[in-house]
Amino acid sequence: ARTQRGGGFTADELRTALQMDDAAAEAAIDELVQQGALTTLTPGKYLDTERADALLQSVLEALAAFHAESPLQVGAPKAHIQAQVPSAAPDLLQWLLNTLHSRGLVAPERGAWRLHTHSVTLSPEHEAAVARLLRASQDAGLSAPSRDEALALLGGPQSRPLLEIALQRGELVAVGDFI
């Protein structure tokens, strides 16, 4: 048996592998789809259902690990997910994400993907740091702090996600390199 590639099989590849004429191969493919052994990715493109299920689970696990490591990030960039599920060709990864989205398990957000259950929640310490930055920004009047000064007020460069959250919430506005 031939090993399945990272993007699945086309109907023509399956016909060749099955060594059947077009009509018999088409009937066999339809039967395998109806039995649940093959999953249709797009018209004329198929993937073994067990492999599809395993890849769907791998994407969910990759997102869960990302959220555990980066809880202040809204989601994982698609390139990060691709790196975690390298056996899925880019078009297959998009199918996986779309399928999980249609099942309500993941959601696209601001150019990234997140588990449906994930939301960014700031700890009381983080909220206090953002409040300090807001007070400092208001106290500065027309002398707005630079990004580096804002990051220093938040706790240093590792606090960049906090600054992004404050900007996304509309609590601060970036004008060039100033906040």
Side-chain angles (χ1 to χ4, degrees):
R2 198 170 142 210
T3 304
Q4 191 165 208
R5 297 175 316 177
F9 284 122
T10 65
D12 288 338
E13 291 169 328
L14 285 170
R15 280 186 201 93
T16 300
L18 293 170
Q19 299 180 350
M20 296 177 172
D21 65 50
D22 288 353
E26 188 174 320
I29 291 168
D30 288 346
E31 180 67 23
L32 290 169
V33 170
Q34 287 177 7
Q35 291 174 356
L38 279 182
T39 296
T40 304
L41 300 177
T42 59
K45 195 163 189 182
Y46 306 92
L47 185 66
D48 174 84
T49 298
E50 286 183 19
R51 178 160 162 67
D53 291 343
L55 288 169
L56 289 165
Q57 187 60 38
S58 293
V59 171
L60 292 173
E61 290 169 2
L63 286 172
F66 181 85
H67 293 322
E69 294 168 14
S70 304
L72 296 180
Q73 296 292 328
V74 69
K78 191 173 174 182
H80 175 83
I81 302 166
Q82 182 74 65
Q84 302 305 306
V85 189
S87 62
D91 61 335
L92 176 56
L93 179 62
Q94 189 61 54
W95 179 87
L96 294 165
L97 291 167
N98 291 343
T99 298
L100 291 168
H101 182 251
S102 72
R103 293 177 183 178
L105 298 173
V106 302
E109 191 160 330
R110 290 182 244 150
W113 287 87
R114 65 174 176 81
L115 292 175
H116 179 71
T117 57
H118 177 73
S119 64
V120 175
T121 305
L122 298 182
S123 69
E125 295 81 19
H126 289 141
E127 289 287 1
V130 170
R132 278 194 309 276
L133 175 58
L134 291 172
R135 277 193 306 277
S137 182
Q138 290 167 350
D139 292 347
L142 296 177
S143 301
S146 69
R147 281 188 183 270
D148 289 339
E149 292 167 335
L151 287 172
L153 286 168
L154 288 171
Q158 72 278 8
S159 298
R160 188 171 309 278
L162 289 177
L163 179 57
E164 294 305 318
I165 290 168
L167 290 167
Q168 290 167 0
R169 286 180 177 175
E171 295 170 334
L172 295 170
V173 176
V175 179
D177 193 40
F178 296 93
I179 304 298

